[in-house]
Amino acid sequence: MSDSDPLSTTPNQDLHCPSLYYPYSNLGEGRAHLLPSKPCRPRSSILSSDLSPPPLPQKNLGRTRSLPTCKTVHYSYGYSSLPSRERQPGSGQTWGKLRRPLQESRSLENIPYGRVSHFGPDPHQLSFATPDWELGRFFQDLSSTQEVYKVLRGRQLDSLRCIETRLGARLTGPWPGRGGPGQGFRLLDNKPCVESGDAWYYRVARITEDIWHLLAAKVPKPWSMIPEPPDAEPPGLALQATLKPHFNVQSLCGQLPAGALPGAPWQRSVALVAEVPTQTVADWVGANKELHWSCPGQYERQACLLLLQLCGALKQLHVDNLGHGDLRPENLLLASPRGQPTGTLPQLLLTNFARAQPLVPQMLARQDELQLGLLIYEILGQGPALAQARGASIPPLPIRSAYSLALARLTPHLLQAEPHSRPSVAQVRVALQTVLWGPGPELLTQSLPLGPWLDIHRALLPLELAERLVGSGEAAGLEDWLCCQYLAEASEYMVGWALELLWGELPGAGD
């Protein structure tokens, strides 16, 4: 520093300027002594004794009142805590326009209870263990019953989706994988457990160290009049290996090499599937004829549950622009869901993709929907009557319960001659869901709102599952999972459209 620097001439001098000690005072007063002198202003070699700078212009600024330091404040800062509608400016908006004008801050005591945080935390964090003093973070106004119900409705829907996800993971179970080196195999039965339209299935154990996986060997049937070479791959198997995993689509998990099981009824390499089937839908229909006559409601409800699972599998295929093209009872397998007792609702598995074809959007034939309508006749025991019609008018389905009544109103839509007039499998799926769990046609005839109906059942279903678990110890099963899927995905528009499809005017009724 030069000799004229005021700070260098008094190195040990105590400066009594208040601005150097209080960080919340006017910092301009302290900085005024550190600025170099302007050329037009004569420089002084030393500071005056009182170190008083020229007075600064006074401004009338509203002083902020700090939050009380004796309480803990829980705010969610950062971009991730903003609602999506405030994270993304709309067209023509900028971030500057979204900023609020600077206002005088207020102490927490002056903020109404229930409005501590404007943005609030994730609603998933609201639980039974949430402390009372944190409830204001989730509700904008705790004194408003309507506001409380609105938040709780959203939380119930989130909880239902969580239950649905966990139930699906438990029913699906871990995928056994494709195996690896060092694995061994053991044939558990010399006879096939199931014969489907395209293959025989044998129960096989795959052994890797101390882990046993119960699988099924899928031995293909001859698919042509010409003998196939031993290394020929069955049609549709390569396509099946590329499909996305789905609970109701048969999943492949490697191959069983030729010669790996000495004495096996086959000599070629065969595919391994994760689900061990117990019967086909054709076997199920034949074995339950007496039940259909004695308890038609019970049989037809199970038929609707199987059709619902099939629609879920077809919906996944159609999302991937793929049609199955061969929906027959012998191509639909049934297996026991993992962790479920014997005798409960079986898991339906779609297999045999030999006739699967890509769906072209410009030529969407909806062949699967037509075959789905024919399959309903087969499951309800009306296959022979449909075959005798031979192009004549389709015979009506016999009405034996409320379920066959709904199916009798659904099949005419699926069997329409014009492909584009048929409902999609996604729409048929919602229609079957309403047949199984409501609402009934009363809401359509009385023009009652569907939103409250959905809210009521979304609240009651978890309560019913909890009461059953605590009372009888019965855990949620496959049918409960399917119901959770319905209530977690349903919207007023979807349900209203399904009710109109089922209970509205039938095709050709006005002709």
Side-chain angles (χ1 to χ4, degrees):
M1 296 182 182
S2 61
D3 295 338
S4 61
D5 195 333
L7 295 181
S8 63
T9 58
T10 57
N12 298 323
Q13 181 179 357
D14 294 332
L15 301 179
H16 300 285
C17 178
S19 63
L20 301 181
Y21 288 91
Y22 300 98
Y24 294 105
S25 61
N26 195 335
L27 297 180
E29 299 177 3
R31 292 174 57 89
H33 303 291
L34 304 179
L35 296 175
S37 301
K38 295 183 180 181
C40 60
R41 182 181 300 170
R43 300 186 62 178
S44 175
S45 60
I46 58 175
L47 292 172
S48 61
S49 58
D50 56 356
L51 299 178
S52 300
L56 295 176
Q58 299 296 326
K59 295 182 180 180
N60 295 326
L61 296 177
R63 303 286 296 184
T64 61
R65 286 174 283 184
S66 302
L67 294 172
T69 57
C70 59
K71 298 182 180 180
T72 303
V73 184
H74 294 267
Y75 281 96
S76 296
Y77 293 102
Y79 172 77
S80 61
S81 65
L82 293 176
S84 58
R85 64 176 181 271
E86 300 200 17
R87 293 183 199 167
Q88 302 174 357
S91 59
Q93 289 182 317
T94 62
W95 286 110
K97 294 182 180 180
L98 292 178
R99 295 177 180 174
R100 298 183 176 182
L102 180 63
Q103 296 179 351
E104 179 183 1
S105 63
R106 296 184 294 171
S107 175
L108 286 179
E109 286 85 353
N110 298 328
I111 301 177
Y113 184 70
R115 298 182 181 271
V116 175
S117 176
H118 174 72
F119 301 116
D122 189 352
H124 291 83
Q125 300 175 1
L126 178 62
S127 67
F128 181 79
T130 300
D132 294 344
W133 56 270
E134 282 194 352
L135 292 178
R137 303 171 57 205
F138 299 93
F139 302 90
Q140 292 187 4
D141 188 0
L142 277 172
S143 62
S144 172
T145 304
Q146 183 178 3
E147 171 66 21
V148 172
Y149 286 169
K150 177 182 178 181
V151 175
L152 290 182
R153 284 197 300 268
R155 184 64 184 90
Q156 287 171 352
L157 182 57
D158 292 337
S159 177
L160 191 63
R161 289 170 177 167
C162 180
I163 294 174
E164 184 270 328
T165 301
R166 294 183 179 181
L167 273 178
R170 180 168 63 84
L171 291 171
T172 305
W175 187 58
R178 299 186 178 277
Q183 62 185 1
F185 300 94
R186 180 175 297 181
L187 182 65
L188 301 181
D189 304 298
N190 292 325
K191 294 182 179 180
C193 58
V194 170
E195 178 183 355
S196 68
D198 65 332
W200 296 279
Y201 291 88
Y202 292 82
R203 297 197 311 148
V204 173
R206 187 174 66 190
I207 308 169
T208 304
E209 296 180 351
D210 296 333
I211 303 176
W212 287 49
H213 288 292
L214 180 60
L215 308 174
K218 183 176 182 179
V219 182
K221 292 181 177 180
W223 58 86
S224 67
M225 301 300 296
I226 304 174
E228 307 90 7
D231 57 346
E233 187 176 77
L237 194 63
L239 174 63
Q240 184 179 354
T242 63
L243 298 178
K244 295 179 181 178
H246 191 275
F247 182 77
N248 298 115
V249 176
Q250 185 185 63
S251 58
L252 304 179
C253 54
Q255 282 192 338
L256 183 63
L261 286 174
W266 66 88
Q267 289 77 35
R268 55 179 300 159
S269 63
V270 297
L272 293 172
V273 297
E275 305 89 359
V276 180
T278 57
Q279 58 184 349
T280 64
V281 170
D283 299 331
W284 180 82
V285 172
N288 288 278
K289 286 184 178 180
E290 185 177 351
L291 177 64
H292 193 189
W293 283 104
S294 60
C295 301
Q298 179 182 351
Y299 173 87
E300 291 171 356
R301 179 178 179 83
Q302 291 183 352
C304 289
L305 289 167
L306 295 179
L307 290 169
L308 176 63
Q309 295 183 65
L310 175 59
C311 288
L314 292 175
K315 178 185 175 183
Q316 178 64 50
L317 293 184
H318 291 189
V319 168
D320 296 333
N321 293 324
L322 187 67
H324 186 270
D326 197 9
L327 297 180
R328 293 180 294 153
E330 55 268 25
N331 288 334
L332 304 174
L333 300 176
L334 301 180
S336 298
R338 294 175 182 174
Q340 297 295 298
T342 306
T344 56
L345 176 66
Q347 173 186 3
L348 183 138
L349 297 167
L350 182 61
T351 184
N352 191 0
F353 295 88
R355 297 185 179 180
Q357 294 290 336
L359 296 178
V360 182
Q362 294 79 5
M363 301 176 61
L364 190 59
R366 292 192 173 176
Q367 185 72 13
D368 287 345
E369 286 79 358
L370 174 64
Q371 294 182 2
L372 184 61
L374 301 176
L375 182 65
I376 293 176
Y377 273 79
E378 295 276 355
I379 293 179
L380 295 183
Q382 299 301 309
L386 187 63
Q388 292 176 2
R390 293 187 178 182
S393 60
I394 299 176
L397 287 171
I399 308 302
R400 298 177 179 174
S401 72
Y403 301 102
S404 54
L405 173 62
L407 293 176
R409 298 186 63 87
L410 176 62
T411 48
H413 296 280
L414 295 170
L415 299 179
Q416 290 194 79
E418 181 60 37
H420 293 279
S421 300
R422 302 167 192 159
S424 65
V425 291
Q427 295 168 334
V428 176
R429 178 172 175 260
V430 181
L432 290 171
Q433 289 171 333
T434 61
V435 171
L436 290 164
W437 299 292
E442 298 80 13
L443 267 72
L444 182 64
T445 56
Q446 300 177 14
S447 301
L448 297 177
L450 297 174
W453 187 95
L454 290 172
D455 292 336
I456 291 171
H457 288 77
R458 284 167 177 165
L460 294 179
L461 179 59
L463 295 179
E464 179 182 344
L465 298 179
E467 290 173 356
R468 276 168 33 193
L469 181 61
V470 174
S472 61
E474 179 186 357
L478 176 55
E479 184 174 348
D480 299 315
W481 181 46
L482 296 174
C483 185
C484 287
Q485 284 183 341
Y486 169 44
L487 294 177
E489 301 170 357
S491 65
E492 295 184 48
Y493 174 78
M494 293 166 50
V495 175
W497 194 96
L499 291 178
E500 185 65 32
L501 175 68
L502 287 172
W503 310 111
E505 185 178 356
L506 291 176
D511 297 343

